[in-house]
Amino acid sequence: MYILSVCGMGFGTSLMLLMDIQSMAKDHGYTVEGEATDLGSAKGKSCDLIVASSEIAASLTGEEVPVVAIDNLLDKDEIKEKVLPLIERLSKEG
């Protein structure tokens, strides 16, 4: 499974978000590959799932994969609540 984490610049916030997602996924028995990227680079990139802040996610409408909007990027419970069910579903489909 390949996940894009997206922020405005493509490093700080999105890298931290990706690391949180990978750690959470590993704790539940899933392996997640991914990339931290900026909004401009994310559009049209091949992936299984996109995770971004609510503001950035609003600009990613029309993507062919699910886009998860996170309101508080520091809230690991919110990340788990919104992302883990999709990881589980995509793993079964994939």
Side-chain angles (χ1 to χ4, degrees):
M1 176 172 314
Y2 197 83
I3 294 179
L4 284 182
S5 61
V6 184
C7 71
M9 298 300 287
F11 25 94
T13 307
S14 58
L15 183 58
M16 186 176 66
L17 178 59
L18 180 60
M19 290 175 14
D20 286 344
I21 292 168
Q22 288 174 319
S23 175
M24 177 264 305
K26 184 178 179 183
D27 289 346
H28 289 84
Y30 298 100
T31 301
V32 169
E33 300 294 323
E35 178 181 349
T37 189
D38 65 280
L39 177 59
S41 300
K43 293 187 178 199
K45 226 177 234 277
S46 178
C47 64
D48 299 301
L49 177 64
I50 298 173
V51 184
S53 69
S54 297
E55 298 83 18
I56 298 287
S59 300
L60 289 166
T61 56
E63 293 298 311
E64 294 183 13
V65 299
V67 177
V68 178
I70 304 295
D71 296 318
N72 181 352
L73 296 172
L74 300 176
D75 184 348
K76 292 184 182 188
D77 289 332
E78 179 189 2
I79 295 167
K80 179 179 174 181
E81 176 184 303
K82 291 183 174 180
V83 177
L84 185 59
L86 282 169
I87 290 174
E88 291 170 339
R89 190 186 89 211
L90 292 169
S91 292
K92 290 176 186 169
E93 292 176 1

